[in-house]
Amino acid sequence: MTPPPRDWDEETDVIVVGYGYAGATAAMTAQEAGAKVLLLEKAPEAHKGGNSRVSANIVFWPADVDTAKVYFRAMAGPYMDDISDELLDVWATEMFANKAWLEGLGMTPVEMPYVEFPELTGSDCVRVLLNGEGPVGGERLWRLIETAVEARHVPISYDTPAVSLVKEERRIIGVIAERRGKRVAIRARRGVVLTCGGFENNPAMIRNYVDGLPRVHPVGTPYNTGDGIRMGLEVGADLWHMSNVSGPILSFKAPDIPVAQWLNLPHGQSFLFVGADGSRFTMEGEPCSVGDAHGKVKRHGHWGRQAMPLPIHMIFDETYRKHGPIGKAGADWDVSHGNLYDWSDDNLREVGKGWIKTAGTLRDLAGLIDLPPAALEHTISRFNESARNGADPDWGRKPVTLGAIETGPFYAMELTPALVNTQGGPRRNAQAQIVGADGAPIGRLFSAGELGSIYSFLYQGGGNIAECFAFGRVAGRNAARS
């Protein structure tokens, strides 16, 4: 927290910190409400968009408001205690309003089948929307929002991270930012909206708030380092949902790029994952949709976060190696920023780099990656039997995904836990105000998006993007009238 400066360098009505879906929506809404707006973005212009731009670009749209509330309660389960009925009402109502709002911006909604928890009561409300026909990802929705921001001539200052909030008594009156190496004091005549994402790329915060992840990387933007959490704490914000994350999922971290890469798994069958003891520990499959539900797995009838028995290795054979590139996904931060590392089609360049270890026998491979040889051989033998029988009694992989690991040479690639995003941050209320540790709103301070998300436990795919739009509008409206 910073005391009011003697002189302000700049001033505007509403300052929005962070240019993703939430920031864009808050900025446009505040401007339409008659406020003069300034959008601050930490990243350079080439890397704008945060997690929004490099996400799946899908929107969870609940087709019925009342059923949406039932589904949310089912997903939250025992973690509903800090979510008021008023807040849930606003969430459901604004989520329902998203479709018409996006159509007004030019979206062509196309439904895709993706109900993440079909067994939960209320799941029949779920619709997941793409912007037009085409594959998941690809920035089609992002380009729509970016075009809308440009059409409204919203001022954006890139390479300008917010450093601290300026507080006067119980209200926020401005922001101290850093631009070209200099501190800039910007006065906000009406309010400040924090939409600057989570803490996926802040190892210290991960260790403090999320158990069992001694090392982890983001698959989204590397610029999410918990700035909004730090600034919120400095002005007395209460925190919530800090241990709830979307992930961990299993990815690969190349030294060449700052984030983890989404794995391209479906193209082959003869592979599996093993933990530190050489045994399988999960159903291997496409992250977030097959082996896990955004990092949550069901064990003994209970949903919980996927365990990460580090180190974890992907084991595969020559047949799988020839099937296609393991590290070339359709969409992630690396793909959206020009394929800073272009994975080879046959995976041999990565073998040559030493990222993928190889040996003529499984026993020799185990020695290279420091696994118990007998344990790895037993795991592969049992998996091969399952593949030949067309059933996986251990983890339930579908028969069509099973292939015996039997054609040498054999390969091992170490995987890293990675986060799609975090959900925690400063607690918000139904007016999108950030709430202090005393339970009262901090004057003229609002939030939207991943920073302090409403999601407290299970998460429906597309829900964070939809929440960005829903609470972005709420925050923008209320900041403009503060």
Side-chain angles (χ1 to χ4, degrees), residues 165 270 278-279 352:
L165 299 169
S270 50
S279 67

Side-chain angles (χ1 to χ4, degrees), residues 341-361:
Y341 179 75
D342 189 23
W343 198 281
S344 66
D345 290 337
D346 58 8
N347 305 294
L348 287 179
R349 185 190 307 135
E350 293 68 37
V351 173
K353 284 175 171 282
W355 298 354
I356 300 175
K357 309 296 184 185
T358 184
T361 68

Side-chain angles (χ1 to χ4, degrees), residues 20-21 48-60 102 107-112 114 128-146 262 294 330-333 336 420 459 461-466 469:
Y21 287 139
K48 63 184 173 184
N51 280 345
S52 299
R53 176 182 170 190
V54 303
S55 69
N57 276 230
I58 59 177
V59 183
F60 161 39
L102 288 165
M107 181 184 188
T108 303
V110 174
E111 287 190 22
M112 62 171 283
Y114 186 17
V128 175
L129 308 177
L130 293 161
N131 181 27
E133 298 286 351
V136 169
E139 302 184 39
R140 294 195 306 282
L141 183 62
W142 166 253
R143 288 195 293 269
L144 175 79
I145 300 302
E146 181 186 35
W262 206 272
H294 280 87
D332 58 20
W333 189 87
S336 296
V420 178
Y459 165 78
N464 277 126
I465 290 176
F469 298 138

Side-chain angles (χ1 to χ4, degrees), residues 320-453:
Y320 190 91
R321 195 273 301 167
K322 291 180 177 179
H323 262 288
I326 298 169
K328 187 179 290 184
D332 58 20
W333 189 87
D334 179 52
V335 170
S336 296
H337 291 79
N339 281 312
L340 303 181
Y341 179 75
D342 189 23
W343 198 281
S344 66
D345 290 337
D346 58 8
N347 305 294
L348 287 179
R349 185 190 307 135
E350 293 68 37
V351 173
K353 284 175 171 282
W355 298 354
I356 300 175
K357 309 296 184 185
T358 184
T361 68
L362 290 170
R363 180 164 288 270
D364 289 342
L365 185 68
L368 289 177
I369 57 176
D370 199 27
L371 290 185
L376 182 61
E377 288 177 330
H378 173 76
T379 296
I380 300 298
S381 176
R382 182 171 175 81
F383 178 81
N384 288 350
E385 181 181 1
S386 298
R388 296 185 187 102
N389 292 336
D392 179 13
D394 296 325
W395 294 105
R397 260 171 67 174
K398 292 182 179 180
V400 70
T401 71
L402 299 171
I405 300 172
E406 57 188 0
T407 306
F410 302 97
Y411 300 90
M413 184 172 79
E414 186 170 358
L415 304 181
T416 182
L419 295 181
V420 178
N421 63 278
T422 57
Q423 304 289 6
R427 181 161 62 96
R428 74 172 66 109
N429 63 18
Q431 289 74 46
Q433 296 168 298
I434 288 181
V435 176
D438 59 359
I442 298 172
R444 306 203 317 178
L445 182 61
F446 305 84
S447 75
E450 176 186 346
L451 177 68
S453 168

Side-chain angles (χ1 to χ4, degrees), residues 124-372:
D124 54 321
C125 79
V126 176
R127 308 290 185 273
V128 175
L129 308 177
L130 293 161
N131 181 27
E133 298 286 351
V136 169
E139 302 184 39
R140 294 195 306 282
L141 183 62
W142 166 253
R143 288 195 293 269
L144 175 79
I145 300 302
E146 181 186 35
T147 298
V149 171
E150 291 173 352
R152 287 158 177 77
H153 304 290
V154 175
I156 305 170
S157 183
Y158 294 104
D159 278 309
T160 310
V163 176
S164 63
L165 299 169
V166 182
K167 188 177 183 182
E168 184 178 65
E169 297 178 348
R170 276 204 58 92
R171 62 177 191 161
I172 303 303
I173 61 171
V175 169
I176 304 299
E178 189 171 277
R179 185 187 294 141
R180 292 185 289 276
K182 295 182 179 179
R183 295 291 172 96
V184 182
I186 309 172
R187 181 186 175 204
R189 291 184 289 261
R190 302 189 192 180
V192 174
V193 185
L194 298 181
T195 58
C196 43
F199 58 99
E200 310 85 88
N201 205 23
N202 186 319
M205 282 189 180
I206 294 292
R207 286 193 294 273
N208 284 333
Y209 294 122
V210 186
D211 184 49
L213 293 174
R215 62 178 185 272
V216 67
H217 299 279
V219 292
T221 175
Y223 294 95
N224 277 9
T225 55
D227 299 350
I229 296 165
R230 175 185 53 75
M231 289 188 290
L233 285 171
E234 289 173 354
V235 298
D238 190 22
L239 299 183
W240 70 349
H241 306 160
M242 293 301 293
S243 65
N244 192 38
V245 296
S246 286
I249 62 171
L250 287 167
S251 303
F252 179 77
K253 176 63 175 69
D256 301 49
I257 60 174
V259 298
Q261 291 174 274
W262 206 272
L263 297 178
N264 179 25
L265 295 177
H267 65 275
Q269 300 167 310
S270 50
F271 75 98
L272 52 72
F273 301 158
V274 296
D277 64 355
S279 67
R280 293 174 71 200
F281 60 94
T282 193
M283 179 199 296
E284 303 89 355
E286 188 73 356
C288 295
S289 58
V290 175
D292 66 281
H294 280 87
K296 302 294 194 302
V297 291
K298 201 168 191 178
R299 300 286 186 263
H300 310 290
H302 172 75
W303 285 100
R305 196 167 67 239
Q306 170 72 70
M308 290 284 133
L310 301 174
I312 293 169
H313 287 87
M314 177 179 174
I315 308 295
F316 55 99
D317 68 357
E318 179 72 353
T319 300
Y320 190 91
R321 195 273 301 167
K322 291 180 177 179
H323 262 288
I326 298 169
K328 187 179 290 184
D332 58 20
W333 189 87
D334 179 52
V335 170
S336 296
H337 291 79
N339 281 312
L340 303 181
Y341 179 75
D342 189 23
W343 198 281
S344 66
D345 290 337
D346 58 8
N347 305 294
L348 287 179
R349 185 190 307 135
E350 293 68 37
V351 173
K353 284 175 171 282
W355 298 354
I356 300 175
K357 309 296 184 185
T358 184
T361 68
L362 290 170
R363 180 164 288 270
D364 289 342
L365 185 68
L368 289 177
I369 57 176
D370 199 27
L371 290 185

